Amino acid sequence: KISTDELRDRISASLESHFGPGGVYYREEAYKLLGWLLPDDALVQQLTAVRSVGARAWFDDDTGEAWVTDKFRIENIPDQAALLRVVTRVLLDQNFPPLREYPGDDASRAREALHQGAASASESKYYAEKARTEGFTLLTDQSETESLFRSLTPFIQGVTTFPAVEGAAYVGAMKSLGQEKLHEVFRKPPLTTGAIYEPAEKAEPPVALEMPPVPGDPFMSDSAGELGLKLWVFTLGDPEASLEISSAWKDDRYVFFPESETTSGVVWDVVLDSKEAADKFQAVALDMTAALAGKEDTAPLAVPVETLEKRFLQVSRIGPDRVRFVNAAKKETAEKLK
């Protein structure tokens, strides 16, 4: 049992450790260049806040430990349910431990969805049992949490809700196929968020894309996955398009790299499952480029567009099913990455 202030510190430390040395800084900068985060957004602070505000219990997936806060009261049914949720996470982590090496963001989010989905299902089942036996009705004041949540970018909102919502749906689907099937996915967890959305169609992870040469040694490279693609498109405020395009995700990879001692850039390739899907994503990517650059007209294809911050954004068609987005500090860098 720890104080709320100590919980915030533990969550921040866990996030720093989770991504490894420099991992948080690199992701924050890359996410801003890609458009998932706004220029003033602080990745760790936002992720910490959304996990700590109003929390009664928290599971640390870095250490495998669980904590309750000084607000926790065991006589309260919601607190009992929260305790059950984190104990479930502890037991799952002990019996199906994570890989020693960090598998990448998309694979990590998929595993989190599996474990958090199972824990959320246990929590929901507990509430249902209390409602049946004691007539319990959940009437908690979530105004502080909801206010915070609404202030976050769609990206932070999406990665926060994905494990509990989509993870619980995935676990329910696996459980309907039998207990042995559920145990099988815990022993061999899905390696992409696409496999959480569509277990049958995207069970096998794609081969990592070969990316173009970039100036200097890359700071980092990772996959955004179907979830990342969905949230990128959703930033334009079109839920239907984000669902349609992201469901056609086949593979992707972004590279965050230095351009000089003081500047950096990012290149992101997305592969869709058909030319038609790539056409739709290309159109959305050109609109996104115009929006990020503060332009009213749709951006042209394969032409660097200068932003108000004197950066250059570009969308190129690399193949029938492959689209590339670039955010570079130098025009010549973008032109070389067509």
Side-chain angles (χ1 to χ4, degrees):
K1 195 171 187 179
I2 55 177
S3 70
T4 303
D5 288 342
E6 187 179 352
L7 177 67
R8 282 195 294 267
D9 292 341
R10 285 186 179 273
I11 292 174
S12 294
S14 177
L15 289 167
E16 297 276 359
S17 176
H18 183 71
F19 292 120
V24 168
Y25 170 77
Y26 292 150
R27 280 168 176 78
E28 181 177 298
E29 294 304 306
Y31 291 176
K32 289 177 180 179
L33 294 181
L34 285 165
W36 282 316
L37 295 179
L38 299 174
D40 294 331
D41 285 340
L43 181 61
V44 170
Q45 285 88 330
Q46 289 198 13
L47 290 175
T48 298
V50 80
R51 285 162 170 77
S52 61
V53 171
R56 293 294 191 275
W58 174 70
F59 171 75
D60 184 350
D61 56 8
D62 186 56
T63 64
E65 298 172 329
W67 306 88
V68 295
T69 70
D70 46 15
K71 297 179 180 179
F72 182 85
R73 299 292 182 270
I74 191 61
E75 64 273 14
N76 296 335
I77 289 177
D79 293 27
Q80 296 168 16
L83 180 61
L84 175 61
R85 169 171 46 80
V86 296
V87 169
T88 302
R89 290 297 304 272
V90 169
L91 293 171
L92 287 172
D93 197 73
Q94 289 174 354
N95 286 277
F96 308 101
L99 299 172
R100 289 187 177 182
E101 297 294 328
Y102 184 65
D105 289 354
D106 197 46
S108 178
R109 288 168 186 157
R111 180 184 180 275
E112 169 76 5
L114 172 62
H115 285 220
Q116 181 62 20
S120 295
S122 296
E123 186 178 31
S124 297
K125 185 178 180 181
Y126 187 78
Y127 277 129
E129 180 66 14
K130 287 298 180 181
R132 184 183 67 82
T133 59
E134 302 179 22
F136 172 77
T137 302
L138 184 61
L139 296 172
T140 57
D141 182 8
Q142 296 290 329
S143 56
E144 183 183 14
T145 304
E146 291 174 358
S147 177
L148 167 68
F149 191 76
R150 286 193 297 269
S151 71
L152 303 174
T153 63
F155 176 77
I156 298 294
Q157 291 181 14
V159 297
T160 299
T161 57
F162 175 78
V165 177
E166 301 298 340
Y170 175 82
V171 169
M174 295 300 102
K175 193 174 181 180
S176 69
L177 300 176
Q179 202 71 11
E180 180 52 38
K181 179 62 177 178
L182 185 60
H183 290 171
E184 179 186 331
V185 296
F186 279 118
R187 290 191 294 268
K188 187 180 178 182
L191 296 176
T192 66
T193 52
I196 296 292
Y197 283 117
E198 301 150 89
E201 293 82 1
K202 299 177 180 177
E204 294 300 320
V207 177
L209 285 177
E210 183 176 342
M211 296 297 287
V214 294
D217 293 328
F219 292 125
M220 64 163 290
S221 177
D222 209 336
S223 169
E226 184 168 333
L227 174 63
L229 177 59
K230 181 179 182 180
L231 297 176
W232 196 79
V233 177
F234 186 77
T235 301
L236 283 176
D238 191 339
E240 185 176 341
S242 70
L243 180 60
E244 180 183 7
I245 291 171
S246 65
S247 63
W249 173 90
K250 189 176 179 181
D251 199 358
D252 83 282
R253 181 150 293 273
Y254 68 86
V255 179
F256 176 51
F257 58 89
E259 287 188 79
S260 69
E261 292 184 357
T262 58
T263 62
S264 55
V266 67
V267 53
W268 182 33
D269 280 17
V270 179
V271 179
L272 288 305
D273 63 11
S274 69
K275 177 184 179 300
E276 292 71 24
D279 289 342
K280 292 176 182 178
F281 176 58
Q282 175 183 301
V284 167
L286 291 172
D287 287 341
M288 174 70 90
T289 296
L292 292 173
K295 310 291 185 182
E296 293 185 2
D297 297 330
T298 298
L301 185 65
V303 176
V305 177
E306 188 173 4
T307 71
L308 298 175
E309 295 78 21
K310 306 300 180 182
R311 295 189 62 86
F312 294 90
L313 310 182
Q314 177 179 271
V315 175
S316 306
R317 191 65 172 263
I318 306 305
D321 59 355
R322 185 166 174 170
V323 179
R324 175 173 296 165
F325 173 80
V326 175
N327 184 336
K330 301 176 183 178
K331 186 178 182 179
E332 54 267 34
T333 301
E335 291 174 335
K336 289 178 181 178
L337 290 170
K338 286 184 181 179

